Amino acid sequence: MSETRGAVTARRRRDVPIGVVMVGMAVIAWWPAFTLGVYGEIFFDDILAVWAASTAAFVFVLVERKPVGGKLVRAFLLLLPSVWLLLTFVVSDNETDLLVAIVDVVAILAVLIGIPFTLWVLVRVAFPDFAHETSRGTKWLIAGVVLGIAVISFVLGLNQEHFLTCWDFQLSGNYPPAGCTHPPTPDS
């Protein structure tokens, strides 16, 4: 039995949020992964972007009309970037190596947990029924695609000298990384 035109249209409308979520998450994840590959660091502006989004999501989670139990866990995880920011004010560069290491670990956790978790909360804000209407397999597909793009972006960053030049970095306003390729000069 074939589907009616209305059923096909309805299914396609349900698929649109999946595409938006997958593409949006991939677009957000690629740059921090790429810079980690190129420079061995995630830039402060990426971490502060995660902080801004997670703080807004934190406020939303606190005011949404849901039972308190689940809200507290989500709210705590959304605070990780704020904890990192607070620690950077409290712990100075003159502190012990242990305290600096703790700040670094919290920064890494803020990015590794903060980015995906913040994105997931924002998806649930934009598409409230997404979690209930999307199959577990589709959620895993989205996570796999985004993780795959992040890993490939990281590997591309590690191998940037094969397809980018120092000039590409300069032109885009980024510092040329060590090992970047200098473009050939007209004399060569």
Side-chain angles (χ1 to χ4, degrees):
M1 180 180 227
S2 65
E3 290 183 288
T4 66
R5 185 180 302 246
V8 170
T9 302
R11 194 180 73 227
R12 286 184 183 151
R13 279 194 195 121
R14 282 192 313 270
D15 289 346
V16 168
I18 294 168
V20 169
V21 167
M22 189 180 302
V23 170
M25 291 177 116
V27 165
I28 291 169
W30 86 270
W31 180 248
F34 181 75
T35 59
L36 184 61
V38 172
Y39 300 102
E41 289 192 36
I42 297 175
F43 295 151
F44 73 90
D45 53 342
D46 294 325
I47 295 173
L48 289 175
V50 171
W51 169 80
S54 68
T55 300
F58 169 78
V59 171
F60 176 80
V61 164
L62 290 181
V63 299
E64 73 180 327
R65 294 181 181 112
K66 291 198 174 193
V68 173
K71 285 170 50 164
L72 294 178
V73 172
R74 289 183 306 176
F76 171 76
L77 290 172
L78 289 167
L79 280 178
L80 279 175
S82 293
V83 170
W84 165 78
L85 192 58
L86 178 65
L87 285 174
T88 60
F89 279 99
V90 173
V91 177
S92 70
D93 290 338
N94 298 331
E95 299 291 335
T96 66
D97 289 342
L98 177 63
L99 287 176
V100 172
I102 290 171
V103 172
D104 290 343
V105 167
V106 172
I108 290 168
L109 288 175
V111 171
L112 294 179
I113 294 172
I115 287 176
F117 192 75
T118 299
L119 289 173
W120 184 248
V121 169
L122 294 176
V123 164
R124 294 195 57 187
V125 169
F127 305 107
D129 297 329
F130 185 80
H132 303 295
E133 293 178 357
T134 306
S135 71
R136 181 171 293 198
T138 301
K139 290 175 190 172
W140 279 108
L141 173 66
I142 292 169
V145 167
V146 173
L147 180 62
I149 288 174
V151 168
I152 291 168
S153 296
F154 175 74
V155 171
L156 287 171
L158 290 173
N159 295 286
Q160 50 74 27
E161 69 278 2
H162 297 291
F163 65 98
L164 296 172
T165 66
C166 298
W167 175 244
D168 292 322
F169 285 95
Q170 289 173 318
L171 186 61
S172 68
N174 292 292
Y175 188 81
C180 65
T181 304
H182 293 279
T185 59
D187 297 342
S188 48

